[in-house]
């Protein structure tokens, strides 16, 4: 994909439990203190994203939604650099206390690490 995604279309999302299970079975991890990225090569023509922000880790829905928006925006900006992989971003304890800039910074590092591990 030569240009950035302009939105987050249905084709760029992991939607079914089967798609999530596929990634969890043989995942390539990239880990930080508050986020884990799991990836697995797919047959699609572009990378796809799934997000899990557990209620147990981030209590308020507004905070979970903010975190998901940050993750989607970061993915949109970096999707053209990523190989054809299915990606699941899992939020961990402490992510709710980070501001948007910190989340974007962590994701920037993790996307780079993921690209290196997928080569």
């Amino acid at each position: 994909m030569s240009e950035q995604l302009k939105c987050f279309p249905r084709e760029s999302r992991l939607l079914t439990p089967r798609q999530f299970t596929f990634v969890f079975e043989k995942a390539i991890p990239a880990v930080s203190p508050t986020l884990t990225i799991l990836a697995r090569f797919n047959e699609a023509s572009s990378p796809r994203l799934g997000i899990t922000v557990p209620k147990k880790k981030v209590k308020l829905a507004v905070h979970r939604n903010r975190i998901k928006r940050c993750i989607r925006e970061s993915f949109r900006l970096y999707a053209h650099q990523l190989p054809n992989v299915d990606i699941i971003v899992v939020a961990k304890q402490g992510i709710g206390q980070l501001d948007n800039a910190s989340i974007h910074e962590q994701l920037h590092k993790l996307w780079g690490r993921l690209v290196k591990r997928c080569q």
Side-chain angles (χ1 to χ4, degrees), residues 3-20:
E3 62 182 56
Q4 289 181 349
L5 292 171
K6 304 248 187 290
C7 59
F8 192 53
R10 192 170 180 84
E11 299 80 40
S12 296
R13 296 183 237 167
L14 296 179
L15 299 169
T16 65
R18 176 182 256 171
Q19 292 171 329
F20 276 79

Side-chain angles (χ1 to χ4, degrees), residues 38-110:
L38 303 170
R40 184 171 177 186
F41 287 99
N42 66 24
E43 300 298 320
S45 60
S46 63
R48 298 186 302 180
L49 178 68
I51 303 170
T52 61
V53 182
K55 193 174 187 179
K56 196 172 191 177
K57 307 294 182 196
V58 182
K59 299 288 185 223
L60 296 178
V62 291
H63 296 302
R64 290 194 302 275
N65 293 336
R66 176 184 62 87
I67 292 163
K68 288 190 258 187
R69 279 194 304 275
C70 287
I71 293 168
R72 282 193 298 266
E73 177 63 11
S74 180
F75 175 77
R76 185 186 71 78
L77 294 172
Y78 287 94
H80 67 282
Q81 298 174 9
L82 299 171
N84 294 341
V85 289
D86 287 343
I87 299 166
I88 298 176
V89 179
V90 182
K92 299 194 299 195
Q93 198 70 42
I95 186 102
Q97 285 74 44
L98 297 180
D99 63 346
N100 292 359
S102 300
I103 294 171
H104 277 285
E105 186 179 317
Q106 278 197 10
L107 285 166
H108 172 71
K109 291 176 185 173
L110 289 172

